[in-house]
């Protein structure tokens, strides 16, 4: 028999310790130590990790990092942490890497991998590149994919056709 209050809601027995399972890390936590975020009850560690997410495509961060590095005379991998240097070298040596590959190789979480990628992007060392159905992180000076090349070619061709049409119309008026 479950004890309920006047509104017919269940009441927890204060003498019994309850546990919930964090949906993010699957760790059991005492029922009073969870944090409710967007309707989810997660543990404190997962909450802190979610709050530390760094935005990958952040023009202000790129500009700020670029200015900071220029002011301090940092070029290339100078000023990076050992982990960031290792990730960058791995990306260079493999010709591009998926975040899952990097996370597995360096034994870090996917969120930490994304944060490291974002920091490398802010330093203008790497960029994202779509290959088949995956996004790879590649050196900033890597060639663009054939899909992107085809898109750019078609766009330029359309613009040239429009320009030729415009020029012919103007020349008829003269």
């Amino acid at each position: 028999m479950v004890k309920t209050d006047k509104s017919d809601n269940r009441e927890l027995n204060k003498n019994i310790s309850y546990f919930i399972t964090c949906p993010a890390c699957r760790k059991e936590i005492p029922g009073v130590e969870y944090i409710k975020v967007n309707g989810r009850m997660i543990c404190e560690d997962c909450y802190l990790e979610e709050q530390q997410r760094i935005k990958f495509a952040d023009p202000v961060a790129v500009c700020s990092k670029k200015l900071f590095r220029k002011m301090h005379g940092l070029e290339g991998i100078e000023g990076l942490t050992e982990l960031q240097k290792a990730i960058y070298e791995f990306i260079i040596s493999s010709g591009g890497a998926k975040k899952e590959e990097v996370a597995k190789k360096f034994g870090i979480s996917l969120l930490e991998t994304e944060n490291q990628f974002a920091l490398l992007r802010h330093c203008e060392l790497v960029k994202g590149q779509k290959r088949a159905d995956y996004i790879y992180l590649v050196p900033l000076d890597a060639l663009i994919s054939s899909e992107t090349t085809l898109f750019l070619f078609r766009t330029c061709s359309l613009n040239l056709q429009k320009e030729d049409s415009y020029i012919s119309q103007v020349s008829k008026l003269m």
Side-chain angles (χ1 to χ4, degrees):
M1 185 94 167
V2 176
K3 186 177 178 185
T4 58
D5 62 11
K6 292 178 183 176
S7 302
D8 212 25
N9 295 320
R10 290 190 212 181
E11 286 186 359
L12 298 178
N13 185 340
K14 306 250 189 258
N15 299 326
I16 301 173
S17 57
Y18 295 93
F19 290 88
I20 64 165
T21 303
C22 175
C25 67
R26 311 304 300 162
K27 184 171 57 174
E28 276 194 351
I29 54 174
V32 293
E33 293 183 17
Y34 67 85
I35 298 171
K36 197 168 187 176
V37 179
N38 298 328
R40 296 182 313 141
M41 295 179 286
I42 59 175
C43 68
E44 186 177 0
D45 293 337
C46 291
Y47 172 77
L48 290 173
E49 193 169 295
E50 281 185 12
Q51 299 306 309
Q52 294 175 350
R53 186 175 304 261
I54 300 172
K55 289 170 60 177
F56 186 79
D58 185 350
V60 174
V62 172
C63 183
S64 173
K65 186 65 111 175
K66 192 174 178 180
L67 182 62
F68 174 85
R69 290 175 60 79
K70 185 177 181 179
M71 287 175 53
H72 291 86
L74 301 173
E75 293 182 10
I77 61 172
E78 293 175 344
L80 298 180
T81 66
E82 293 304 315
L83 176 61
Q84 291 165 348
K85 288 177 186 177
I87 291 172
Y88 181 71
E89 293 300 327
F90 177 68
I91 290 168
I92 296 288
S93 66
S94 60
K98 293 188 275 184
K99 65 181 176 183
E100 294 83 6
E101 295 170 342
V102 172
K104 185 176 180 181
K105 175 158 178 60
F106 295 99
I108 56 178
S109 70
L110 284 177
L111 180 65
E112 179 61 22
T113 305
E114 290 172 4
N115 285 344
Q116 295 303 322
F117 281 175
L119 292 169
L120 291 171
R121 172 66 186 98
H122 296 168
C123 293
E124 294 190 320
L125 295 173
V126 297
K127 66 181 179 181
Q129 184 181 71
K130 187 170 183 177
R131 296 180 184 171
D133 292 335
Y134 297 103
I135 301 294
Y136 283 77
L137 218 59
V138 297
L140 192 65
D141 58 357
L143 296 174
I144 56 177
S145 69
S146 58
E147 294 168 351
T148 306
T149 304
L150 184 60
F151 170 77
L152 292 173
F153 176 76
R154 287 179 179 160
T155 304
C156 290
S157 295
L158 288 173
N159 287 338
L160 287 174
Q161 288 172 359
K162 288 178 186 175
E163 191 175 312
D164 288 344
S165 173
Y166 176 75
I167 290 171
S168 66
Q169 287 176 1
V170 169
S171 62
K172 287 179 185 176
L173 294 173
M174 296 179 147

